[in-house]
Amino acid sequence: MDRVPVEVIGNILSHLGAARDVVIASATCKKWREACHKHLHMLSFNSDDWPVFRDLTTSRLEILITQTIFQTKGLQGLSILMDDVDEFSASAVIAWLMYTRETLRCLFYNVRTTPNVNILDICGRQKLELLVLAHNSITGVEPNYQRFHFLTSLSLSYVSISSLDLNLLLTACPRIEFLGLISPEIAITDAQVTVELSSQTLKKVYVEAISLDKFTLEADNLEKLHLKDCALELFELSGKGTLKHFKMDDVSILHLDIFDPVDGLEVVDVSNFTIIWSKFYQIISKSSKLRRLRLWNVVFDDEIEFVDLESIALCFPDLSYLALSYDLRDDLKEGVLHIVWKARLQWRTVENTCRVPHVGQVTSTNVLQWITRIDLFSQDLNPRHLLKFEKDLA
């Protein structure tokens, strides 16, 4: 190890992450202490990494964290995640952030303080590229002053913020590409709980555990959208046709309006959701590049007898994966029909010529070969639907 450059040792220590491990390793020798002091890039304080953190008083924890941080220079990544730990003093936390803010690129922050620490004031106009906030509150965003010129990724978990401040925060991040919202506490400004977001640079959006009357998202360059465990009366999405991945998991939406032309969709994954199939199919039907379609544990809330696989095969020639698990509701409300099948599509050729481009070329032989690749899971499968499926393809 004597020949290993001190910079390399600093990189090794940075990959340890946990502050306790870094401190122990740096005690090995003078060279390692120097590496920790001058060339450490990442430091993490996580109450889950070391149970003793929970047994120490907050004042003792503040001293340990302060001593460790102040022994470093040029930290680029700082993670302070203190779940199930009593509140820290704001002065100590501010000292940590002020000491590191000029070099920080990544900040993971979950610390309860009295009073609340304004992260935007401290870290704004710096070089931060990734910001993850939890159990914090954000008020009075000033996009001209609290500006994040280099921030590309923003995640807010259990953060109290108004719809206006959230949109202003996006405005203050001219390069933002990822936005994550997990169980945010949206301040109510009127009779309705409404969130309206607009960004020209967002590419990925993840939203979990949010309940709103109206959620409007305008993102011209959005490529991936994932909604999970959400309850929305109205969801509106508009953009310029860049969306490629669309996923909804256990979401309740009364009105789904997608104004974005979705010609470029490649993956659609919907589970635990009630769908008006005719409207949903109309939204995705022009996505000729669709490769993966998964509708799992969904309910079709309109008048259909079966999923028209002819139309699916015709509209999505590049489809390589199809998973369907759905309930059908008949007009007489006599019960719920349940059909489940999951298939890995391997389109067959007709008379050794070419890949099947449309259903009109499918023969009975090919139908039987294709059906053998379908796994049937439901004990409630109604045979007439499978016969209907086979007859239609033939």
Side-chain angles (χ1 to χ4, degrees):
M1 293 296 291
D2 292 340
R3 296 182 179 180
V4 178
V6 68
E7 295 84 0
V8 174
I9 297 176
N11 286 331
I12 294 173
L13 293 176
S14 298
H15 282 84
L16 291 178
R20 175 176 175 267
D21 296 335
V22 171
V23 171
I24 293 174
S26 66
T28 304
C29 63
K30 182 179 179 180
K31 190 173 184 179
W32 283 56
R33 284 194 296 272
E34 180 185 355
C36 179
H37 177 59
K38 296 181 179 180
H39 301 285
L40 187 68
H41 305 306
M42 179 68 192
L43 200 55
S44 173
F45 302 89
N46 191 331
S47 56
D48 293 332
D49 290 342
W50 193 30
V52 176
F53 274 140
R54 295 190 178 90
D55 299 330
L56 298 176
T57 63
T58 53
S59 59
R60 180 57 180 162
L61 267 177
E62 289 172 6
I63 294 173
L64 288 176
I65 295 175
T66 302
Q67 289 176 342
T68 305
I69 291 178
F70 278 44
Q71 289 177 3
T72 65
K73 288 184 178 180
L75 275 182
Q76 297 180 10
L78 179 62
S79 176
I80 309 176
L81 306 177
M82 292 292 159
D83 284 324
D84 303 324
V85 176
D86 292 336
E87 292 182 342
F88 287 71
S89 68
S91 58
V93 176
I94 291 174
W96 306 336
L97 298 176
M98 292 294 290
Y99 181 78
T100 58
R101 66 174 184 170
E102 292 185 2
T103 57
L104 273 186
R105 299 293 187 273
C106 305
L107 175 61
F108 301 82
Y109 180 89
N110 179 9
V111 183
R112 296 175 176 84
T113 62
T114 304
N116 182 64
V117 173
N118 193 325
I119 300 295
L120 304 187
D121 276 348
I122 299 174
C123 297
R125 296 169 287 110
Q126 302 298 326
K127 299 178 181 179
L128 206 60
E129 299 174 5
L130 182 149
L131 177 60
V132 178
L133 287 181
H135 297 102
N136 203 267
S137 63
I138 298 175
T139 57
V141 177
E142 296 288 344
N144 294 326
Y145 174 70
Q146 299 164 328
R147 199 159 182 82
F148 294 84
H149 292 281
F150 302 97
L151 195 71
T152 59
S153 179
L154 173 65
S155 297
L156 305 176
S157 302
Y158 307 96
V159 169
S160 176
I161 188 172
S162 69
S163 174
L164 176 60
D165 282 332
L166 181 55
N167 200 38
L168 288 175
L169 183 54
L170 288 183
T171 304
C173 306
R175 298 185 182 181
I176 189 168
E177 297 183 359
F178 172 80
L179 173 65
L181 298 175
I182 300 177
S183 193
E185 182 181 337
I186 304 298
I188 300 176
T189 55
D190 50 30
Q192 287 189 328
V193 184
T194 301
V195 169
E196 297 180 358
L197 303 179
S198 177
S199 172
Q200 303 297 317
T201 58
L202 271 178
K203 293 183 178 180
K204 300 177 183 179
V205 173
Y206 176 82
V207 181
E208 179 180 346
I210 190 172
S211 180
L212 299 170
D213 295 316
K214 181 180 179 181
F215 186 12
T216 300
L217 177 60
E218 182 179 351
D220 290 346
N221 291 287
L222 187 65
E223 296 179 359
K224 293 185 178 181
L225 174 63
H226 186 179
L227 305 178
K228 182 179 180 180
D229 298 334
C230 297
L232 309 171
E233 289 195 14
L234 172 62
F235 177 67
E236 296 179 344
L237 174 65
S238 59
K240 293 185 177 180
T242 58
L243 189 64
K244 296 180 179 179
H245 293 247
F246 180 49
K247 185 174 183 178
M248 292 194 298
D249 182 10
D250 200 10
V251 175
S252 172
I253 300 178
L254 295 182
H255 302 284
L256 174 64
D257 293 325
I258 299 181
F259 305 109
D260 179 4
V262 289
D263 301 1
L265 267 177
E266 297 178 2
V267 176
V268 174
D269 191 332
V270 178
S271 58
N272 302 302
F273 184 65
T274 298
I275 295 176
I276 298 178
W277 172 246
S278 57
K279 184 176 181 180
F280 185 79
Y281 180 72
Q282 184 180 7
I283 292 175
I284 67 172
S285 60
K286 296 182 179 180
S287 305
S288 59
K289 298 179 182 179
L290 195 68
R291 295 181 291 101
R292 180 184 178 93
L293 176 61
R294 181 176 181 267
L295 305 176
W296 206 252
N297 290 336
V298 299
V299 176
F300 293 141
D301 201 18
D302 50 359
E303 298 177 1
I304 63 169
E305 293 185 359
F306 57 91
V307 174
D308 188 356
L309 294 180
E310 292 184 10
S311 299
I312 289 179
L314 178 63
C315 291
F316 313 127
D318 292 334
L319 193 67
S320 61
Y321 180 84
L322 172 65
L324 299 177
S325 169
Y326 60 88
D327 291 343
L328 295 174
R329 294 179 178 176
D330 60 15
D331 295 334
L332 301 177
K333 307 297 182 183
E334 293 178 349
V336 178
L337 301 174
H338 190 56
I339 304 174
V340 180
W341 65 72
K342 184 178 180 181
R344 181 73 182 179
L345 302 186
Q346 296 181 359
W347 302 107
R348 311 295 293 181
T349 58
V350 179
E351 298 177 353
N352 297 321
T353 56
C354 61
R355 189 179 180 208
V356 178
H358 57 80
V359 174
Q361 292 180 309
V362 179
T363 66
S364 299
T365 302
N366 287 324
V367 170
L368 293 176
Q369 290 175 337
W370 193 79
I371 288 179
T372 59
R373 301 179 184 278
I374 297 177
D375 300 321
L376 302 177
F377 297 103
S378 174
Q379 295 180 353
D380 302 322
L381 181 68
N382 192 325
R384 71 181 179 87
H385 288 90
L386 183 57
L387 292 175
K388 174 70 174 175
F389 161 58
E390 181 177 352
K391 183 187 300 182
D392 287 344
L393 283 182

